[in-house]
């Protein structure tokens, strides 16, 4: 069955009355969950597995897929309006989305996020349709050495996330590396920095750190600056209309990062979070005015939003084509496949084409639903900004506590949320950037595991990183990205010194 015939089969599933209903239910539930800080698609899909037991697999899996990409689509709302990421994949959205909302452009920020998400999701579905079988072989060619090189390349961008001092950015990154080592060593089972506390054996969940460094720290700053008139309760929604200049400015990042996000989503273990960070860093590095990033730049909002939504579709490539889950969410999706009696893998396209192509076709429909649902709701969502500041602070704290507690139902996590909130507040006071900490925490664990696996495979020889062309090329790109900015800075300092 070729792609065109398969897609027709998929649309027969997606455009049936049952298919439309389940797609709509999935994206609505996903959007609502994505808007709530701390909650994510994993919990929603896990809850839906027993509900869908006994159902026809095609509409059931279409609904669960809708929850997944709907949550990523809706997660930008709380990131932009409250600086409280709804899911981990929208942390980078807050870097420029929240400053834009503070400038009275909340409506424009939400519109940019919705349009970028729609384009990124749609482009990625087209790529998924055309390239899924071919990219599945690329995904499995990424062994531990290539993964280490990819993570290392991401870490070379830490200086790009600094808002001033590069030294402070490096200190924040080292702190992130230190925190990610807490818990049980995944390779040897040895306890590391747990100090005999059983609550630290599993380390820290990413959302505890993200909500602490962003949401709780922001609450502390609002309380500290409560007499500041610029932070008064009468923040405006602003116009929803995007000018031609705005559309032109976001067109480049959206078109580039839709492809980047999809390709990174294909790699098992990468996912929407890493895709959004790398896209943000990439756009900042090539921007003519990188100093505008972090202050409400349109490019800084459009890039991660298009990338994280594209990555969700890319994550279905290893799941559908190989039966390999690339993230926690797709791991739960794999469980849903098996419970419903469907075995994802190379034979899924031929044995159950209505499921393989039905999921892909439903993503076209789901992205349209998400755009239609979210754009008209922007004026109502932005009314969050008109909530009196004391009540808004209380709501942010409440949702953060509920979201963190729902991860493992452990009170200790709530204490850790406050600890990381205090750390984030101190970092704000002393001008230490939080993004390098977050990036190091995300990449550090995977980078360590990939390095140690590579050393095991090669019996301790570092040559494994240069023997294959893929890791070698990634390491060369990382080296160039380190040396070129350093050289340019040295040359500019030398010219400035000569002109004195």
């Amino acid at each position: 069955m070729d792609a065109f015939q398969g897609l027709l089969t998929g649309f027969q599933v997606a455009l049936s009355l049952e298919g439309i209903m389940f797609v709509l239910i999935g994206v609505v539930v996903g959007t609502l969950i994505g808007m709530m800080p701390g909650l994510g698609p994993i919990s929603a899909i896990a809850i839906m597995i027993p509900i869908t037991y006994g159902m026809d697999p095609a509409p059931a899996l279409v609904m669960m897929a809708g929850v997944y990409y709907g949550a990523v689509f809706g997660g930008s709302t709380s990131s932009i309006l409250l600086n409280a990421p709804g899911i981990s994949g929208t942390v980078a959205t807050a870097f420029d989305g929240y400053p834009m909302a503070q400038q009275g452009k909340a409506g424009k920020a939400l519109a940019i996020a919705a349009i970028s998400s729609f384009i990124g999701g749609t482009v990625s579905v087209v790529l998924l349709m055309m390239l899924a079988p071919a990219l599945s072989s690329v995904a499995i060619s990424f062994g531990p050495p290539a993964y280490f090189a990819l993570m290392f390349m991401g870490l070379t961008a830490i200086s790009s996330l600094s808002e001033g001092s590069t030294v402070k950015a490096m200190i924040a990154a080292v702190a992130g590396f230190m925190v990610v080592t807490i818990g049980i060593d995944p390779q040897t089972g040895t306890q590391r920095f747990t100090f005999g506390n059983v609550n630290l054996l599993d380390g820290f969940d990413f959302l505890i750190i993200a909500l602490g460094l962003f949401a709780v720290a922001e609450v502390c700053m609002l309380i500290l600056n409560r007499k500041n008139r610029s932070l008064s309760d009468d923040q405006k929604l602003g116009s929803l209309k995007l000018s031609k200049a705005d559309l032109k400015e976001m067109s480049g990042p959206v078109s580039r990062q839709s492809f980047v996000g999809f390709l990174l989503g294909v790699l098992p273990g990468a996912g929407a979070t890493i895709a959004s960070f790398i896209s943000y860093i990439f756009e900042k590095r090539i921007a003519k005015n990188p100093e505008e990033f972090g202050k409400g730049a349109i490019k800084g909002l459009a890039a991660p939003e298009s990338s994280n939504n594209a990555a969700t579709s890319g994550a279905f490539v290893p799941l559908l084509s190989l039966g390999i889950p690339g993230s926690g969410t797709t791991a739960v999706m794999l469980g849903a496949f098996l419970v419903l009696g469907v075995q994802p893998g190379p034979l899924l396209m031929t044995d159950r084409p209505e499921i393989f192509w039905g999921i892909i076709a439903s993503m076209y429909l789901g992205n349209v639903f998400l755009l239609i649902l979210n754009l008209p709701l922007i004026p109502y969502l932005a009314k969050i900004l008109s909530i009196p500041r004391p009540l808004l602070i209380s709501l942010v704290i409440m949702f953060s506590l509920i979201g963190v507690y729902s991860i493992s139902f452990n009170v200790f996590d709530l204490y850790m949320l406050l600890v990381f909130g205090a750390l984030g507040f101190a970092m704000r006071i002393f001008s230490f950037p939080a993004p390098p900490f977050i990036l190091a925490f995300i990449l550090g664990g995977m980078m360590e595991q990939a390095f140690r696996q590579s050393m095991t495979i090669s019996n301790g020889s570092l040559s494994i990183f240069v023997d294959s062309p893929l890791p070698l090329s990634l390491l060369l790109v990382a080296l160039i990205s380190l040396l070129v900015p350093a050289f340019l800075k040295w040359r500019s300092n030398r010219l400035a010194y000569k002109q004195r």
Side-chain angles (χ1 to χ4, degrees), residues 95-96 99 160 162-163 249 253 279-301 303-304:
F95 296 166
D96 282 278
S160 300
S162 62
E163 298 166 0
E249 188 172 356
S279 294
Y280 182 87
I281 292 165
F282 179 82
E283 289 298 328
K284 185 175 181 180
R285 283 199 163 185
I286 66 172
K288 293 181 179 178
N289 301 305
E291 67 279 358
E292 294 178 358
F293 280 66
K295 301 175 182 177
I298 290 176
K299 292 181 179 180
L301 174 57

Side-chain angles (χ1 to χ4, degrees), residues 144-146 453-455 457-458 461-468 471-472:
Q453 288 174 342
S454 301
M455 291 295 96
I457 294 170
S458 65
S461 174
L462 292 173
S463 62
I464 191 172
F465 297 108
V466 295
D467 287 342
S468 301
L472 177 60

Side-chain angles (χ1 to χ4, degrees), residues 363-439:
M363 292 180 181
Y364 283 104
L365 189 62
N367 277 295
V368 174
F369 280 159
L370 284 168
L371 187 67
I372 294 172
L373 285 170
N374 281 270
L375 282 179
L377 288 176
I378 286 176
Y380 303 100
L381 294 173
K383 286 189 177 181
I384 293 173
L385 296 175
S386 64
I387 297 175
R389 191 66 53 181
L391 179 58
L392 183 60
I393 288 173
S394 303
L395 288 173
V396 172
I397 293 175
M398 181 184 73
F399 278 118
S400 297
L401 291 174
I402 291 173
V404 167
Y405 186 71
S406 67
I407 295 171
S408 59
F409 301 100
N410 190 347
V411 177
F412 181 79
D413 289 344
L414 301 180
Y415 293 129
M416 289 298 98
L417 174 67
L418 298 179
V419 169
F420 284 107
L423 175 63
F425 178 61
M427 292 173 72
R428 295 277 191 97
I429 294 295
F430 295 103
S431 302
F432 282 84
F437 185 105
I438 292 287
L439 183 64

Side-chain angles (χ1 to χ4, degrees), residues 313-387:
S313 296
F316 279 91
V317 171
L319 177 64
L320 297 177
S321 301
L322 301 171
I324 299 173
S327 64
T329 307
T330 51
V332 178
M333 282 285 294
L334 176 60
F337 271 87
L338 298 177
V339 167
L340 292 167
V342 179
Q343 177 62 56
L347 299 178
L348 181 65
M349 187 186 300
T350 54
D351 291 349
R352 303 296 297 271
E354 76 281 2
I355 292 177
F356 183 92
W357 293 106
I359 291 175
I360 293 176
S362 72
M363 292 180 181
Y364 283 104
L365 189 62
N367 277 295
V368 174
F369 280 159
L370 284 168
L371 187 67
I372 294 172
L373 285 170
N374 281 270
L375 282 179
L377 288 176
I378 286 176
Y380 303 100
L381 294 173
K383 286 189 177 181
I384 293 173
L385 296 175
S386 64
I387 297 175

Side-chain angles (χ1 to χ4, degrees), residues 203-222:
F204 298 109
D205 189 273
F206 173 76
L207 278 173
I208 297 174
I209 294 175
L211 289 173
L213 292 182
F214 290 94
V216 177
E218 184 63 32
V219 164
C220 294
M221 292 300 295
L222 289 174

Side-chain angles (χ1 to χ4, degrees), residues 430-493:
F430 295 103
S431 302
F432 282 84
F437 185 105
I438 292 287
L439 183 64
F441 181 83
I442 294 170
L443 299 182
M446 291 187 290
M447 185 175 175
E448 179 196 9
Q449 186 175 4
F451 179 79
R452 293 173 69 179
Q453 288 174 342
S454 301
M455 291 295 96
T456 303
I457 294 170
S458 65
N459 292 322
S461 174
L462 292 173
S463 62
I464 191 172
F465 297 108
V466 295
D467 287 342
S468 301
L470 184 56
L472 177 60
S473 58
L474 290 172
L475 288 174
L476 288 175
V477 171
L479 188 63
I480 292 171
S481 65
L482 275 176
L483 295 179
V484 170
F487 173 75
L488 294 176
K489 188 174 182 179
W490 171 79
R491 190 176 67 173
S492 63
N493 290 339

